[in-house]
Amino acid sequence: MTLEKNTHNTAECLFAFAGKIRKLHNKHYADVMREHDLSLGEIDVLLFLANNLPHDLSKDIAEELSVSKSLVSKAADSLAKRGFISFVHDPDDRRLVHLKIEEAAAPIVEKLKERRKVLFQSLCKGLTPEEMETQKQIIKKIMANMESELES
């Protein structure tokens, strides 16, 4: 097999993988979305805030999730109206507004974390610890390449 053919097959596999991950992501959170009338964007904001402190600015979320700031802002406004998050001005720079998860969102966040754990376990079923480590290293390299490509 030529390098070009191998690269094409690998690229197709990677793009298909990304699409399936998003579908599984939606499937695993569907019941929580229905139960709490949440959008996928709102779920992404809650999960990001729960897992990425101290990165709690809208711009942090938009950059890390590769979504628009307006999408994050819309989701954050909706979550704030329902008491799930609050906006806290930075005491050192009033232009910065931190997003803070409120106690009302705690049960939802726990459900989401559990769904994420189940999803990850199902994706990694049958992999050895060595394969898991190899997977992590490959993903890190691909992510670094993606970051480099986005910055250029």
Side-chain angles (χ1 to χ4, degrees):
M1 181 178 292
T2 67
L3 178 61
E4 185 177 314
K5 177 101 170 144
N6 190 25
T7 300
H8 174 75
N9 289 341
T10 302
E12 291 305 312
C13 184
L14 187 62
F15 294 133
F17 177 78
K20 294 230 185 264
I21 286 280
R22 196 65 179 165
K23 283 183 181 180
L24 282 170
H25 181 263
N26 295 350
K27 177 184 174 186
H28 276 262
Y29 299 131
D31 61 328
V32 179
M33 291 169 65
R34 272 191 308 276
E35 181 181 350
H36 299 283
D37 192 29
L38 294 168
S39 70
L40 199 51
E42 291 165 336
I43 284 176
D44 288 341
V45 167
L46 285 173
L47 279 170
F48 183 89
L49 292 172
N51 294 311
N52 294 285
L53 286 176
H55 305 287
D56 59 359
L57 302 173
S58 291
K59 75 176 189 74
D60 296 332
I61 299 169
E63 286 173 12
E64 190 63 30
L65 299 180
S66 298
V67 297
S68 69
K69 288 181 191 172
S70 64
L71 183 105
V72 173
S73 180
K74 182 180 174 185
D77 287 342
S78 176
L79 290 167
K81 284 179 187 166
R82 294 191 283 168
F84 295 144
I85 68 167
S86 59
F87 301 112
V88 180
H89 286 275
D90 189 299
D92 298 324
D93 187 344
R94 302 286 294 164
R95 295 170 299 170
L96 299 178
V97 180
H98 299 274
L99 307 182
K100 179 180 176 274
I101 295 178
E102 293 297 331
E103 193 60 37
I108 298 169
V109 169
E110 285 311 308
K111 285 181 191 176
L112 293 172
K113 284 182 172 184
E114 181 58 31
R115 296 304 187 289
R116 178 177 267 189
K117 180 180 169 186
V118 168
L119 172 59
F120 184 73
Q121 287 172 340
S122 71
L123 291 174
C124 298
K125 188 173 31 186
L127 295 179
T128 66
E130 294 80 17
E131 289 169 328
M132 292 286 294
E133 186 57 34
T134 300
Q135 171 197 32
K136 184 168 93 177
Q137 295 306 318
I138 291 169
I139 289 171
K140 282 183 176 182
K141 286 181 180 181
I142 291 172
M143 292 291 289
N145 291 342
M146 293 167 90
E147 287 298 323
S148 176
E149 187 66 25
L150 287 170
E151 290 171 3
S152 65

